[in-house]
Structure formats: structure tokens, C-alpha cells
């Protein structure tokens, strides 16, 4: 509890919501109806925009650990959803050049497959087990995006448990290390999904706009796309902090 000038105990002032950026595929892809692709050049310009302002990109785990210490004001969490194979080819070199970290959310039930859940978009290959290990060796945090990319708000309890629990077990077996982060496919969640993720042993989970839900298992994120230049990035950053309510416990 905080204490005001009159010596009265008051509730601590909530801190601004963490800034977590959401990326997907990084490659040259003019056919992109879902607007989830950025070119390597655009990614580098976006991340250098952060760097010149004294902001460093880190994994979500590092961001949350810094906030737990009362730090992290100059950090932004960088997340890459779906585990596209182009992450190793195009995103990882950019991150290395800038000494940035990131979290890569992958689908262990679709290793070496493609984005079959996107009916309109071009087929894009997903990382193999070796590709995920390569990213992890480079210092990238690996998290689960579920087993097969299902909307967890539409499945029954058994399937929900399978997507959440088995994906974590598969990744921990693949990596030989704990997996602490989860990302809800499509960014959709409800209390039952949140409790399933919490019960599976994860330490945090990322959404997009969690609505009335809040806390470490309902972290909001900002979509970053090909059209986001310096002005748009600045506006997204400011609007994220103004529109999102503080995350309880952070």
C-alpha cells in the first residue's frame, strides 16, 4: 500500500499496461489478405525506430521479470505468432543485429506443416523441430500457441486440455527446458480457457484484446504490420497505453 501526504494508506497507483508487439510472418509476400506479413526491411526499420529511442525489444518473460523488479519502462515485448519458418531466415538476423530478444509462439502439432487454418492466404511453411531448436539456441524464448491452432473458445473441455497441456509437454520434450508462455490462437479467450492455461502450469499468456479479462494470463498486445511506419508506431504505442486498462498483478 502507498501512503499519501497526510499519512493515509492508499491503494498503489496502477502502472501502465506492458507494451507487447505482435508479429507473425516476416518475408516478402505481396499476397497477404490477413495483413500478417512484414518484410524483413520493414521489420528492421520498425525495430530500429525503437532502438534509437532507447527502447529495447525483449521476450515476454524478460519483460515481465523486469516489471516484477519495478523496472522495464524502456522495454517492449516482441512476439511472433504461429512459428513460421521465415522467422529463422528473416526475423532472427534482424534481432541479432540489434541485440533484441523475442518470444516465438509455435504449434508442436503442426511441425513442418503450413498455415492450413488460413483459407484465403497463401500456404506458408512452419518451423520444423530443428528450426525451433535453432531459434531457442539463439536466445529466443519459445512459447506454445496451442497444439494445432484452434479457437479455444469453441472447443470442449477435453480438446481444450489437449491443446493446452499436450502442446506444453511436447515443446518441453523438444527443447529439454521449461515452457512458461502461452498465446491464445486468434487472440480469443474466455475464463475457461484462462483457467486451463493457468492449470497447465504456464506463467503467462498473451491475447490481443482480452476485454474484461485482465492479469498475467490475459496480456493485451498491439498488432504491428507492414504499413506501420514511425508515425503509426508512435500512435499505436500511445493509444495502447491510453485505451488498455492496467493489467492486474503487473
Amino acid at each position: 500500500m502507498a501512503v499519501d501526504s497526510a499519512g493515509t494508506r492508499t491503494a498503489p497507483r496502477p502502472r501502465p499496461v506492458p507494451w507487447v508487439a505482435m508479429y507473425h510472418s516476416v518475408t516478402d509476400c505481396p499476397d497477404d489478405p490477413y495483413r500478417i506479413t512484414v518484410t524483413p526491411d520493414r521489420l528492421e526499420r520498425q525495430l530500429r525506430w525503437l532502438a534509437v529511442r532507447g527502447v529495447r525489444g525483449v521476450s515476454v518473460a524478460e519483460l515481465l521479470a523486469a516489471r516484477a523488479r519495478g523496472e522495464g519502462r524502456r522495454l517492449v515485448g516482441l512476439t511472433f505468432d504461429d512459428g513460421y519458418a521465415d522467422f529463422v531466415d528473416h526475423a532472427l538476423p534482424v534481432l541479432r543485429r540489434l541485440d533484441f530478444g523475442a518470444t516465438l509462439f509455435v504449434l508442436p502439432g503442426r511441425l513442418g506443416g503450413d498455415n492450413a487454418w488460413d483459407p484465403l492466404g497463401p500456404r506458408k511453411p512452419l518451423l520444423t523441430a530443428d528450426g525451433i531448436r535453432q531459434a531457442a539456441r539463439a536466445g529466443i524464448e519459445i512459447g506454445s500457441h496451442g497444439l494445432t491452432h484452434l479457437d479455444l473458445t469453441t472447443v470442449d473441455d477435453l480438446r481444450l486440455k489437449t491443446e493446452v497441456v499436450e502442446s506444453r509437454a511436447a515443446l518441453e520434450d523438444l527443447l529439454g527446458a521449461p515452457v512458461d508462455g502461452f498465446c491464445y490462437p486468434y487472440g480469443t479467450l474466455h475464463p475457461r480457457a484462462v483457467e486451463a492455461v493457468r492449470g497447465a502450469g504456464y506463467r503467462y499468456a498473451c491475447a490481443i484484446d482480452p476485454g474484461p479479462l485482465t492479469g498475467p494470463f490475459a496480456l493485451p498486445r498491439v498488432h504491428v504490420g507492414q504499413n506501420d511506419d514511425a508515425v503509426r508506431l508512435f500512435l499505436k504505442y500511445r493509444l495502447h497505453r491510453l485505451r488498455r486498462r492496467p493489467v492486474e498483478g503487473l
Side-chain angles (χ1 to χ4, degrees):
M1 298 290 286
V3 179
D4 62 19
S5 58
T8 304
R9 289 180 177 271
T10 60
R13 178 180 300 175
R15 290 188 291 167
V17 62
W19 189 20
V20 183
M22 177 181 66
Y23 287 95
H24 289 79
S25 174
V26 181
T27 189
D28 293 300
C29 179
D31 180 16
D32 182 23
Y34 297 101
R35 295 185 296 175
I36 61 168
T37 308
V38 298
T39 64
D41 178 67
R42 175 64 80 180
L43 174 68
E44 182 150 6
R45 280 185 283 166
Q46 290 168 343
L47 298 189
R48 287 193 181 279
W49 181 85
L50 296 173
V52 299
R53 284 156 180 80
V55 178
R56 186 166 68 90
V58 297
S59 68
V60 178
E62 184 174 344
L63 174 64
L64 297 183
R67 287 178 67 92
R69 299 190 301 268
E71 304 169 1
R73 291 181 58 84
R74 308 300 295 174
L75 300 179
V76 56
L78 299 179
T79 62
F80 293 80
D81 290 8
D82 301 337
Y84 290 102
D86 56 45
F87 177 85
V88 169
D89 296 329
H90 301 306
L92 189 54
V94 175
L95 294 168
R96 281 174 163 168
R97 282 195 290 273
L98 295 173
D99 194 27
F100 276 14
T103 299
L104 175 64
F105 292 113
V106 301
L107 299 156
R110 294 185 182 271
L111 297 178
D114 61 32
N115 57 327
W117 61 88
D118 286 337
L120 300 179
R123 297 280 71 85
K124 291 187 175 186
L126 304 178
L127 287 166
T128 63
D130 286 342
I132 293 172
R133 293 190 190 99
Q134 181 180 345
R137 287 195 298 269
I140 300 301
E141 180 192 17
I142 304 299
S144 170
H145 201 30
L147 198 61
T148 59
H149 205 284
L150 296 179
D151 182 344
L152 299 184
T153 67
T154 66
V155 299
D156 61 27
D157 288 345
L158 178 59
R159 189 65 201 181
L160 174 59
K161 184 175 181 180
T162 298
E163 289 288 321
V164 171
V165 174
E166 291 189 13
S167 62
R168 184 171 190 245
L171 287 175
E172 291 186 336
D173 183 63
L174 187 155
L175 296 169
V179 171
D180 293 329
F182 187 84
C183 176
Y184 302 98
Y186 305 102
T188 57
L189 71 164
H190 55 18
R192 186 165 59 93
V194 170
E195 287 309 310
V197 172
R198 191 197 315 270
Y202 296 95
R203 299 181 65 182
Y204 73 83
C206 290
I208 299 175
D209 182 357
L213 296 173
T214 184
F217 291 93
L219 295 173
R221 293 183 296 166
V222 178
H223 167 72
V224 182
Q226 179 66 16
N227 294 328
D228 289 321
D229 55 14
V231 173
R232 287 172 59 96
L233 280 176
F234 175 75
L235 291 174
K236 284 190 171 186
Y237 168 69
R238 292 302 299 266
L239 289 173
H240 177 68
R241 294 203 160 191
L242 289 172
R243 294 173 57 194
R244 309 285 189 183
R245 59 200 181 101
V247 178
E248 293 180 7
L250 296 179

